[in-house]
Amino acid sequence: MSATIFTLKETPPQRCDFSALIPGRTANVDEMERIEIQTTKERLRVGDLFRVTPGDEATLRFEGGSERFDCVGANMSGGRIEVIGDVGQMLGVGMRGGAIAVSGNAGRLAGAEMIGGRIEISGDAGDLAGGPLAGGTTGMRGGVIHIQGNAGERAGDRMRRGLLVVGGRAGSYLASRMIGGTVVCFGEARTLPGYLMRRGTIILGSRAEFLSPTFINTGAHELVAMRLLARWLIEEGIAGGSQLAATMRRLVGDTAIDGRGEIFLPA
Amino acid sequence: MPELIRNDVVIDDTFAEAFGMRATAVIITADTIAWARQAAVTMTGFATSVIACGCEAGIERALDPAETPDARPGVRVLLFGVSTSVLEQQLVMRLGQCVLTAPGTACFAGLDGEERIKLGAAIRYFGDGWQIAKRLGGKRFWRIPVMDGEFVCEDTTGLTKQAVGGGNLMIMGRDRLSTLAAAEAAVSAIASVPDVIMPFPGGIARSGSKIGSKYKALAASTNDAYCPTLKGRVESALTPDIGSVLEIVIDGLTAASVRAAMQVGIGALVECGAANGLIRIGAGNYGGKLGKFQYPLHELLP
């Protein structure tokens, strides 16, 4: 059975909250069309913005996106969402399972506090991808975020577990305050990646604009763990996996907080 | 006993009696196959019998880089024990003393399954706080800093309660060397059967035992019925022409794998034939009173 298709009819007149429209919620097209997605006092329903073509309720496909579409896939626990276009902020926030694929760009807080599942963004992502919500103590706690383009600032902030991959460049403070998990950035990282990180692994395939002197260079090492990661990336279809060199330079830190995290750079 | 003869070799109409056991498996990789083997041989060296070694263990087979999680050469090791707790204890002890210590090694789960026992989860503390856990897909690995870099060890491996130990073949020949040659041929053939090991030295036991002893302290003693120097002096199972007996013991992850190994072993022995001194093939049992599994030899003939 093919996906349930939501064809965008017009530009959204306000920011929209998509948290009620997740896979498996309902199979009934009328119910779907009645779901409210407004964020102001002007009521806006799914049916006002989209023409809905019935299909498998576990797969939702949005033909036409917008940077005003917030909370797409919020807290979903299974199924699949595809967006042909952009999305706004908090893509897949709190997600527990399933998969989301966005062909365009995502706003800030993509995958914020996610616990499981997989997010694929073909374009760029805004700040705080995989990070915490305001006042949150941890960022993502599981799952995989793959940003094929560039990431904004503080991607992976306070990350606890899981995998964040940036195919392009990352903004400043990549994986700041990291607690655990793995971040891979194939392009250049701007200033101070791993700022105040406690544990976890950051792998930079290219270079960092500026590395904190509180990270200690332990030299070049050929590690079995790197083979496992490279192989896993290849198996998961994440491009660039084979680029991870067997021998890389390992920096341990952030010693400013007695951290035991690590940053890998090309040897 | 009615006699069955193949290629002039007599095959006793008897059965091997085997026991249910717990088993697990690990994969040991290293920079070269030689080092992976060395770690495995050290780990399984003193693991011939649960009577006094704690577990029975051996190398099941060598693995190509294409078959291992880190794409390096490796071997698969099986361990068998009488209980889960003893098996887990033995695994961790041997892992820590023999695999962790061997240059360049990594250790991964060798058996899938819902029931798990600790691998890296037990020895991670050797890292003294510097150890790192990594989750990739559904699996968790530990990276423990060691002097030659890092020891990577998967968190857990699988456990099976369907394992069988004590499948066996008694090989009776004219003299010691010809019996040994026949036994070696059988071991070589059985080595290609998946999911089995032969825990005794080189796969062969020369000192088969019986239950009980005239000495109160000993639970087991020499199987005098099969000792050639006691022919006629004790109630012997041997005919006058038999000068030497060797036993191959087989442990397998399933009853079927033990059966397959015994069948392959008998096939290799029959192929040896009587021309080079092999006289008779038998098997050991306890009258069917102790073990849950029975392998009648006549069902396993080529």
Side-chain angles (χ1 to χ4, degrees), chain A residues 42-59:
Chain A
E42 308 284 333
R43 196 195 324 273
L44 186 66
R45 295 201 171 90
V46 168
D48 299 331
L49 214 48
F50 296 96
R51 188 175 66 248
V52 184
T53 311
D56 179 11
E57 86 253 25
T59 306

Side-chain angles (χ1 to χ4, degrees), chain B residues 19 108 128 236:
Chain B
F19 301 82
F108 303 97
D128 204 24
S236 181

Side-chain angles (χ1 to χ4, degrees), chain B residues 63-118:
Chain B
L63 302 168
D64 270 340
E67 299 176 85
T68 60
D70 59 0
R72 301 189 310 161
V75 294
R76 184 171 180 236
V77 168
L78 308 185
L79 294 96
F80 295 79
V82 295
S83 71
T84 303
S85 57
V86 169
L87 186 60
E88 191 160 22
Q89 200 181 60
Q90 283 287 319
L91 173 63
V92 166
M93 197 161 62
R94 290 164 187 271
L95 175 72
Q97 300 302 301
C98 308
V99 183
L100 168 68
T101 54
T105 60
C107 189
F108 303 97
L111 194 61
D112 284 332
E114 274 210 16
E115 206 163 343
R116 314 294 294 178
I117 54 176
K118 290 181 189 176

Side-chain angles (χ1 to χ4, degrees), chain B:
Chain B
M1 277 194 267
E3 280 191 351
L4 211 58
I5 303 180
R6 289 278 186 279
N7 208 6
D8 295 328
V9 177
V10 174
I11 295 128
D12 291 351
D13 183 15
T14 184
F15 61 96
E17 186 169 335
F19 301 82
M21 294 184 90
R22 307 317 193 208
T24 183
V26 295
I27 292 173
I28 299 171
T29 65
D31 296 306
T32 63
I33 186 67
W35 278 112
R37 268 196 195 284
Q38 180 62 71
V41 160
T42 307
M43 180 193 194
T44 62
F46 180 67
T48 57
S49 169
V50 292
I51 291 173
C53 300
C55 71
E56 291 172 16
I59 297 175
E60 184 236 4
R61 74 184 199 276
L63 302 168
D64 270 340
E67 299 176 85
T68 60
D70 59 0
R72 301 189 310 161
V75 294
R76 184 171 180 236
V77 168
L78 308 185
L79 294 96
F80 295 79
V82 295
S83 71
T84 303
S85 57
V86 169
L87 186 60
E88 191 160 22
Q89 200 181 60
Q90 283 287 319
L91 173 63
V92 166
M93 197 161 62
R94 290 164 187 271
L95 175 72
Q97 300 302 301
C98 308
V99 183
L100 168 68
T101 54
T105 60
C107 189
F108 303 97
L111 194 61
D112 284 332
E114 274 210 16
E115 206 163 343
R116 314 294 294 178
I117 54 176
K118 290 181 189 176
L119 204 55
I123 56 154
R124 55 174 149 147
Y125 302 103
F126 184 71
D128 204 24
W130 297 101
Q131 67 272 18
I132 294 171
K134 275 296 161 223
R135 229 176 251 282
L136 290 176
K139 300 182 178 190
R140 195 177 189 214
F141 302 90
W142 288 94
R143 294 164 48 196
I144 299 162
V146 285
M147 294 189 337
D148 78 347
E150 284 184 348
F151 176 58
V152 171
C153 189
E154 196 163 346
D155 191 44
T156 62
T157 185
L159 171 79
T160 175
K161 294 186 174 172
Q162 311 302 316
V164 173
N168 68 83
L169 292 170
M170 300 286 272
I171 301 162
M172 294 167 261
R174 183 179 61 221
D175 55 51
R176 197 173 73 241
L177 293 180
S178 59
T179 309
L180 182 57
E184 286 172 338
V187 166
S188 181
I190 294 170
S192 64
V193 176
D195 295 339
V196 299
I197 56 160
M198 294 164 281
F200 283 96
I204 303 169
R206 61 94 86 90
S207 56
S209 56
K210 69 171 183 294
I211 295 183
S213 167
K214 71 180 277 193
Y215 303 106
K216 290 201 185 89
L218 293 186
S221 58
T222 193
N223 196 348
D224 48 74
Y226 285 88
C227 289
T229 62
L230 301 176
K231 274 181 300 190
R233 179 62 183 83
V234 299
E235 205 173 305
S236 181
L238 303 179
T239 47
D241 51 346
I242 293 171
S244 185
V245 182
L246 290 172
E247 184 178 1
I248 295 177
V249 173
I250 299 160
D251 296 342
L253 294 181
T254 62
S257 60
V258 172
R259 186 187 176 86
M262 285 191 61
Q263 188 159 31
V264 164
I266 290 177
L269 291 167
V270 162
E271 200 175 307
C272 280
N276 294 306
L278 178 62
I279 294 171
R280 200 169 124 208
I281 304 169
N285 61 66
Y286 308 93
K289 296 190 197 115
L290 292 183
K292 219 173 80 171
F293 301 89
Q294 296 180 9
Y295 298 96
L297 296 188
H298 285 188
E299 287 180 12
L300 302 171
L301 293 172

Side-chain angles (χ1 to χ4, degrees), chain A residues 51-106:
Chain A
R51 188 175 66 248
V52 184
T53 311
D56 179 11
E57 86 253 25
T59 306
L60 311 181
R61 184 182 171 87
F62 294 87
E63 291 186 347
S66 164
E67 69 84 34
R68 280 181 160 187
F69 288 171
D70 297 337
C71 299
V72 171
N75 301 306
M76 67 190 259
S77 55
R80 185 175 172 78
I81 292 180
E82 294 166 7
V83 180
I84 317 298
D86 298 336
V87 295
Q89 60 175 327
M90 298 205 276
L91 171 72
V93 58
M95 181 176 176
R96 315 183 82 85
I100 304 176
V102 173
S103 76
N105 303 320

